[in-house]
Amino acid sequence: MRITPLEIQQKQFKHIFLRGLDPEDVQLFLEIVRTEFEELVKENNSLKDELRRRLGEIEEYRDRETTLKETMMTAQRISEDIKTNAK
């Protein structure tokens, strides 16, 4: 179950008279938790975006590597052909 900062902010607690909690303390704590949680959600989303971008870059580098290898193999074959023809 996922919880959102808004759900934390809107959470209501029952009031009891015997050994109950101070409503102001509860609300203050919930506000702190909501704020921290909201920052973590933003950071998490930012990191996910960064990861997607980096994975895209890695894929691009892999494509370049493949192209470079193919180019080098072609150049090597041409070089060998030139040597063979020169003999």
Side-chain angles (χ1 to χ4, degrees):
M1 176 180 135
R2 291 189 166 213
I3 189 167
T4 66
L6 183 61
E7 290 172 327
I8 293 170
Q9 184 177 16
Q10 293 178 345
K11 177 66 178 161
Q12 297 292 316
F13 294 92
K14 295 178 190 176
H15 291 281
I16 58 173
F17 294 104
L18 299 174
R19 295 189 174 154
L21 301 173
D22 180 1
E24 289 180 21
D25 284 346
V26 171
Q27 289 304 317
L28 179 62
F29 179 75
L30 286 176
E31 182 60 27
I32 292 168
V33 170
R34 183 198 63 81
T35 302
E36 291 292 322
F37 190 74
E38 190 171 34
E39 288 175 16
L40 289 172
V41 168
K42 287 178 184 177
E43 180 182 6
N44 189 30
N45 288 337
S46 174
L47 290 171
K48 285 178 181 179
D49 290 342
E50 176 75 13
L51 177 61
R52 274 191 286 277
R53 194 173 83 247
R54 297 291 182 177
L55 289 174
E57 289 175 0
I58 289 170
E59 188 61 33
E60 186 178 319
Y61 290 135
R62 285 184 178 147
D63 290 344
R64 289 180 184 179
E65 179 185 25
T66 301
T67 302
L68 248 164
K69 285 180 180 179
E70 290 171 355
T71 302
M72 289 176 67
M73 294 294 286
T74 301
Q76 186 176 4
R77 278 190 225 115
I78 291 172
S79 173
E80 290 171 5
D81 288 348
I82 290 172
K83 287 179 187 176
T84 302
N85 289 339
K87 289 181 182 180

